[in-house]
Amino acid sequence: MLKKIKNKQINTVFAVVLLFFVLFTLYPLCMLLKNAFSQGSGSNAVFSFINFKNVFTKGKFLSAFWNSCKVSFISAVITTILAFILAYTESFTNIPERLKKLLRTLAVFPMLLPTITYGFAVIYSFGKNGLLTRFFGHQFFDFYGFKGLVYCYVIYTLPISFTLIRNTMSYIDKRFLVVCRVMGDSPVKCFNTAIFQPLLGTLAVSLVQSFFLSFTDFGIPASIGGRYTVIAELLYNTMLGSLPDFHQGSVIALFMLLPSILSILLLNYLQRFNVRYNKLSKIDLRKNTVHDIIWTIVSFIILFFVLSVFVVVFVAPFVTEWPYEMGFTFKNVHNILSDKSLTRVFTNSLTAALLTAVLGTGFVYVAALASARSKLHPFFSKVIASMAQVSNALPGMVLGIAFLLAFKKTPLHNTMMIIVLCNLVHFLATPFLMMKGALDKMNDSWENTALLLGDNWIKTVVRIITPNAFITLLEIFVYLFINGLVTVSAVVFLCGARTMVITTKIQELQHFAKFNEIFILSILILITNLIMKTIKGIVNKYKTI
């Protein structure tokens, strides 16, 4: 164990982290609470429950809340089943490694596009003149409302669920399959004992996480919700509709927190059901060609139905006039790229994403260092960990409204920095846990050795810890950059005319049916994210040589 030392540098780091949390998490939430429980404005505001009464009696809150719960739960169940199939194919079949790599790549592809694009892609794919409708000769389903939401929510949450289940599957000891076969158990019993039961906790986590993500997403219902009102859309219309009501919007935002808090509590409870093996053994899976072919075919059929909807994104902008003149043209792309208002939006998005990644990576790093490598008092370490838990429980829309209320009359209002700060709070939890996990695994004698050699804590961090944490820091940087580029739920309340980003611009363009612009902006986001991931892959490969 490290020696407990009184270090002004460590205390300063902790103070900065705590101040950030108070100013940009607790204070906005307090303003949200104050707004929900007050009637009137300014000095005339009084404590009242009238806003809660109005929400329950005068609006569509109850039906919207039920709609959100229903569509999110059904989507979460479907997502978890499909993600299990994909993860099983990748982990428990003997298909070639190149095919497995392709499966992994395709399964996480939707993460590189903003969710608001999904709905427009569905419209152009399954509409009466949609690409897939024209290809197959008939319209598959009425995509507005419930069915379209389920379909898009599955696309949205599948990459997260797949990554989660696949990661747990990699820790399942395959010796138990051998034991089951030796004991003479049937294939079904072997599957249940050696694979399904050890995964029960993770499958439940996938269900909870997928439900939470679907319930709190705004991009998908904004584009394809139709008359099927969900709580995210109701919240947006209440805050920024034709008759905005910030008090009732604050009440709806508070109720939107309930599933988030329940999700966090459930996730913490489900951690106790994780299966841990003392030692994993490398055992080759028994060859079964029929088994492998069936699982592979099913997996790629799933991926086809998930990804085929995005084909139109790369087709429609290069057509003269969809769906009437189908000749190939670059005119649409040229016109859009020469539009200074759209290029400014793209520049804003890049700026916000880069600032989020740079500042976020630095903040997460110092917060994780203070928690994992400085040996603060255990109470203070728990305070930092609690900050991450709180930010993880905040849906993007709730956070955006809280920031709007807290900073609307400050110099931060309508600036790029308020977007960046909101992104930092929104995406803090996962990078913090990644960084803390990496730091916990490092040799805890490095600081003591450096102290004996006369180095202070800062020098030790720069010279020793940072080079060993570089790969994780890069992962966090890319994670924050991509999420900062595709997010819409929080920033939709914070962007002004000068600070509009791509995702909010897409939300605006839908009102004018400018789908070419929507798809080309989406392609720009995709290309940017692919470049970032490619750079990360090259750097990772270089560092491991």
Side-chain angles (χ1 to χ4, degrees), residues 504-530:
T504 55
K505 185 66 176 179
I506 288 174
Q507 200 259 337
E508 177 189 282
L509 288 170
Q510 70 166 317
H511 299 295
F512 304 100
K514 293 186 176 182
F515 290 103
N516 283 332
E517 287 86 343
I518 288 171
F519 291 150
I520 290 173
L521 289 176
S522 300
I523 291 172
L524 286 175
I525 289 179
L526 175 64
I527 291 172
T528 305
N529 285 335
L530 287 174

Side-chain angles (χ1 to χ4, degrees), residues 2 365 368-369 372-374 435 438-440 442-444 446-447 450 457-473:
L2 295 175
Y365 188 38
L369 283 169
R373 301 298 302 186
S374 66
M435 193 71 254
L439 293 175
D440 282 335
M442 294 181 187
N443 192 325
D444 61 1
W446 289 345
E447 284 88 341
W457 185 66
I458 295 294
K459 285 184 179 180
T460 306
V461 168
V462 173
R463 294 176 179 179
I464 301 174
I465 298 177
T466 301
N468 286 279
F470 179 80
I471 297 298
T472 304
L473 288 169

Side-chain angles (χ1 to χ4, degrees), residues 19 21 82 110 173 255 306 311 330 393 472 501 529:
L19 181 64
F21 176 70
L82 298 183
D173 197 330
F255 278 98
V306 167
V311 173
F330 270 114
T472 304
V501 294
N529 285 335

Side-chain angles (χ1 to χ4, degrees), residues 392-429:
N392 197 33
L394 295 175
M397 295 194 76
V398 175
L399 194 59
I401 291 171
F403 265 64
L404 175 65
L405 296 173
F407 303 111
K408 61 183 177 181
K409 294 182 179 179
T410 69
L412 278 176
H413 181 63
N414 199 22
T415 64
M416 188 63 68
M417 189 50 62
I418 194 173
I419 296 172
V420 173
L421 290 169
C422 185
N423 284 340
L424 290 187
V425 178
H426 190 195
F427 304 120
L428 173 67

